[in-house]
Amino acid sequence: MSSPRHVPVLLDRVVALLAPALDDDGAVLVDCTLGLGGHTEAVLERCPRARVIGIDRDPQALAMSRERLASYGERFTGVQAVYDEIADVLADQGLPEVAGVLFDLGVSSMQLDLPERGFAYSVDAPLDMRMGDTGPTAADVLNTYGAAELARVLKEYGEEKLARRIADAIVREREVAPFTSSARLVELLYDVIPAPARRTGGNPAKRTFQALRMEVNDELRVLQRALPAAVEAIGVGGRVVVESYHSLEDRLVKRTFAAATRLDVPDDLPFVPEGAEPSYRLVTRGAEQATPAEVEENPRAASVRLRAIERIRENTRPSRSSGKGAA
């Protein structure tokens, strides 16, 4: 069950952002996207007073991370769940609040590296793309969605300019035979996308595969529910750190953090009434990005956007809905 030790994107910066919140005995970090446990391992190593609850919907990833982190004993707890269930996970653990929450969004290196999972377009594999072990697959989406709905998925989640053209071709081809493998889909994309469009933006299959993965795993709606729950879960001094790789993901993070830190008084009011102060502050100025050196070392870092927020006082005003309708 061994696996190559991939270095997570912006690992040192992520740990540095979390460390001040984890410098108390028994401080708890919730790693909402455990994967192979790279972030969790670094936190357990560098924040010796903290412990980590790692959440992942993928039982295979959980098994591998538990093996990797076994030497940390009771400082690590692995939980199979979708990360929008964070409130239920904390209740099950008897925790009214935590010191930190981490999201490293998107597909994990382990999932990309296992051909049978169907996430990679570089090898022929079954069109699965599920991060867990239940629910419809990418093949189900391709073989059952109408052309208009397929086009919506490709345009919204893949930012694919030729979405309708690709969707129409998929609907035509599945009448001949249903889609079951990634190679046939990649071949269709090369046939449909004109050569000039294939010369820029990387592999022409990248956008379609990303869109299918996000649809299969309901990623944006899950994130839309999870972010406010994470912000609410941290205690005073606690931090939420998010790494996103898609503009729609980063937009949800930005809106959630902006709502939590907004000063809720009229602009022309000469003073801030007691109780109107925001309970949170932004730790990062805008979205931080990887340096050219890190991108060269780890190409996945090219699209990362990193944001962090900290609770600075107990809630002094009713919580506001954040990001509603953004997905």
Side-chain angles (χ1 to χ4, degrees):
M1 194 173 274
S2 61
S3 174
R5 295 297 176 92
H6 296 275
V7 178
V9 172
L10 296 180
L11 178 62
D12 291 340
R13 179 58 177 153
V14 166
V15 176
L17 286 169
L18 289 168
L22 301 175
D23 194 25
D24 290 307
D25 291 335
V28 176
L29 168 71
V30 181
D31 185 345
C32 285
T33 47
L34 177 65
L36 288 176
H39 284 111
T40 286
E41 184 177 57
V43 166
L44 291 170
E45 178 67 26
R46 303 181 201 180
C47 304
R49 304 172 74 181
R51 64 186 183 96
V52 179
I53 297 172
I55 297 175
D56 207 295
R57 68 170 83 181
D58 188 336
Q60 195 169 6
L62 268 177
M64 297 173 78
S65 61
R66 281 173 175 146
E67 179 180 317
R68 176 178 187 172
L69 302 168
S71 62
Y72 293 97
E74 294 183 355
R75 292 182 62 207
F76 171 71
T77 302
V79 178
Q80 185 177 356
V82 183
Y83 54 67
D84 64 344
E85 300 171 311
I86 182 172
D88 294 333
V89 171
L90 297 187
D92 290 343
Q93 298 292 322
L95 293 169
E97 62 184 34
V98 294
V101 181
L102 170 65
F103 296 89
D104 182 18
L105 303 172
V107 64
S108 75
S109 298
M110 182 274 292
Q111 289 163 334
L112 286 172
D113 289 346
L114 295 175
E116 66 270 20
R117 302 300 295 272
F119 287 99
Y121 41 79
S122 57
V123 293
D124 190 21
L127 282 164
D128 192 316
M129 298 195 195
R130 294 173 298 174
M131 292 182 176
D133 51 6
T134 60
T137 66
D140 294 327
V141 171
L142 289 169
N143 294 320
T144 63
Y145 280 27
E149 185 67 1
L150 275 173
R152 180 196 64 79
V153 169
L154 297 178
K155 183 176 181 179
E156 185 173 347
Y157 297 158
E159 300 175 296
E160 174 57 71
K161 296 178 181 178
L162 300 172
R164 187 60 194 237
R165 185 172 179 173
I166 294 169
D168 288 340
I170 289 170
V171 171
R172 282 197 309 271
E173 285 299 310
R174 76 189 188 197
E175 293 300 318
V176 179
F179 284 88
T180 59
S181 71
S182 56
R184 183 170 171 228
L185 177 58
V186 171
E187 183 180 359
L188 177 146
L189 292 169
Y190 270 89
D191 287 343
V192 171
I193 298 174
R198 297 201 304 265
R199 296 192 188 107
T200 60
N203 192 302
K206 177 181 178 181
R207 294 181 294 275
T208 293
F209 273 65
Q210 173 182 278
L212 288 171
R213 186 204 82 217
M214 293 180 75
E215 175 69 11
V216 165
N217 297 288
D218 200 23
E219 291 179 38
L220 284 183
R221 282 180 283 270
V222 169
L223 182 62
Q224 187 175 18
R225 295 187 292 267
L227 286 170
V231 169
E232 188 63 29
I234 55 173
V236 175
R239 293 184 171 186
V240 178
V241 176
V242 186
E243 291 180 283
S244 57
Y245 301 85
H246 188 287
S247 60
L248 293 177
E249 292 172 341
D250 184 55
R251 193 178 308 159
L252 282 177
V253 180
K254 181 179 180 180
R255 288 180 180 177
T256 301
F257 287 5
T261 57
R262 187 177 297 122
L263 185 61
D264 197 13
V265 298
D267 292 339
D268 58 353
L269 199 67
F271 65 95
V272 178
E274 185 177 353
E277 308 94 338
S279 300
Y280 301 84
R281 73 174 183 93
L282 297 174
V283 181
T284 53
R285 294 186 60 183
E288 295 185 3
Q289 301 180 44
T291 64
E294 174 146 14
V295 173
E296 184 176 353
E297 182 179 346
N298 186 353
R300 184 171 178 252
S303 59
V304 72
R305 299 294 183 270
L306 175 66
R307 297 181 187 269
I309 193 173
E310 179 182 10
R311 187 195 285 265
I312 53 177
R313 57 176 59 88
E314 295 293 345
N315 274 348
T316 55
R317 63 191 188 196
S319 61
R320 303 169 65 130
S321 173
S322 50
K324 186 176 182 181

